[in-house]
Amino acid sequence: MPREELLEELTDNFPPKNIYTYDEDVRYTYDRKRLMDEVLLGTFESYVRHVEDEKFSYKITADKKFCLEVKAEGERWIKIFDYVTDAFDIGEAAYRFFIVMPRALDEGEVILEAERNLVVDQESRDKHDHCDYQEEQKKVEIIMPPNFTAQGATIKATVYLCTDGSYILTVAHFIPGRKKRRLLDQFYSDPDFAALLAAEYVKQCDTTEFLGIEEELYQRVYKRVTH
């Protein structure tokens, strides 16, 4: 991307903030508020975020306005902002672009490779014949309206009948100001069992907090329903 265009392409949510780890999200919220307080008190001088191993850094300095300087991959970009929060948000977007997004993509590849090599145990086959369905890669369509729906303030879990006679449980997490996160798309032969899982997802996951890894959430919900 040309030198003069990079900072123009970034926004406060591109790349999206939901790729942060929990600790990064906490740090982002804390530092952003701290910078606002320092500006209001007249004590702000500069803010620096440096990732030595990745050769990335950004710095915010103030005169009459706020200057953001980003350095990465041997390049340097500068942009001037009227507000410190705007400079911080774009600096963090650059951090996500160069550091967090490549890491998230790498982790995704590792998870996909592990799933390809995962052996499905017999208990899972007995309870969820969607395992065989996925292996055969059949093409099915969802039949409307929903067979069952459970919904909270931030969680919606819906069971649909499919054209092959199976049922799919879809669980989504909605937080205002953030992109919808899909927690589950899973096939089942038993609609009652799928409905129990849907209701349990609402009980355990109806929160605005970060929910963690989807597979870990599923294991937790599954254990509550089956034990």
Side-chain angles (χ1 to χ4, degrees), residues 18 154 156 170-175 177-183:
N18 61 9
T154 63
K156 183 175 182 180
T170 296
V171 183
H173 192 209
F174 303 85
I175 299 179
R178 295 188 182 180
K179 185 178 179 181
K180 178 179 74 173
R181 181 184 177 193
R182 191 64 66 89
L183 300 181

Side-chain angles (χ1 to χ4, degrees), residues 30-227:
Y30 174 81
D31 284 1
R32 193 176 192 274
K33 183 179 183 305
R34 178 168 62 86
L35 290 181
M36 292 173 62
D37 291 342
E38 288 180 0
V39 170
L40 290 173
L41 294 171
T43 59
F44 176 79
E45 294 181 356
S46 66
Y47 176 86
V48 178
R49 179 148 182 78
H50 180 62
V51 184
E52 185 174 356
D53 292 344
E54 302 293 340
K55 297 180 180 179
F56 169 89
S57 68
Y58 76 83
K59 182 177 182 180
I60 302 172
T61 53
D63 189 4
K64 293 181 180 179
K65 295 188 176 183
F66 299 93
C67 176
L68 169 66
E69 179 184 25
V70 176
K71 294 181 179 179
E73 299 180 353
E75 297 285 345
R76 177 172 173 262
W77 297 269
I78 293 178
K79 188 174 180 180
I80 305 300
F81 297 86
D82 291 326
Y83 303 101
V84 69
T85 50
D86 292 341
F88 177 75
D89 285 341
I90 300 305
E92 283 295 303
Y95 169 73
R96 294 193 298 274
F97 183 84
F98 287 107
I99 304 299
V100 185
M101 190 164 61
R103 182 189 66 205
L105 292 173
D106 287 344
E107 290 174 350
E109 287 297 324
V110 171
I111 292 172
L112 286 174
E113 185 61 32
E115 288 180 346
R116 292 189 193 103
N117 298 326
L118 183 65
V119 177
V120 180
D121 58 53
Q122 189 59 45
E123 180 184 3
S124 293
R125 289 187 184 278
D126 293 340
K127 290 183 178 293
H128 314 303
D129 56 8
H130 65 276
C131 297
D132 293 321
Y133 161 83
Q134 289 174 334
E135 288 174 4
E136 295 170 9
Q137 297 182 339
K138 297 178 182 177
K139 293 183 179 180
V140 299
E141 295 180 358
I142 291 173
I143 299 175
M144 298 292 288
N147 182 268
F148 176 84
T149 298
Q151 186 165 0
T154 63
I155 288 289
K156 183 175 182 180
T158 308
V159 180
Y160 297 95
L161 173 64
C162 298
T163 52
D164 69 341
S166 66
Y167 294 82
I168 183 170
L169 169 59
T170 296
V171 183
H173 192 209
F174 303 85
I175 299 179
R178 295 188 182 180
K179 185 178 179 181
K180 178 179 74 173
R181 181 184 177 193
R182 191 64 66 89
L183 300 181
L184 187 71
D185 281 305
Q186 197 81 285
F187 288 90
Y188 303 91
S189 60
D190 184 351
D192 294 331
F193 181 72
L196 289 174
L197 287 171
E200 192 64 30
Y201 261 99
V202 173
K203 286 183 182 179
Q204 295 199 38
C205 303
D206 192 22
T207 175
T208 58
E209 300 296 323
F210 176 70
L211 290 172
I213 300 172
E214 289 86 345
E215 179 60 28
E216 292 179 354
L217 291 174
Y218 179 74
Q219 293 299 327
R220 191 172 72 200
V221 170
Y222 176 83
K223 287 179 181 178
R224 289 293 296 270
V225 169
T226 58
H227 292 82

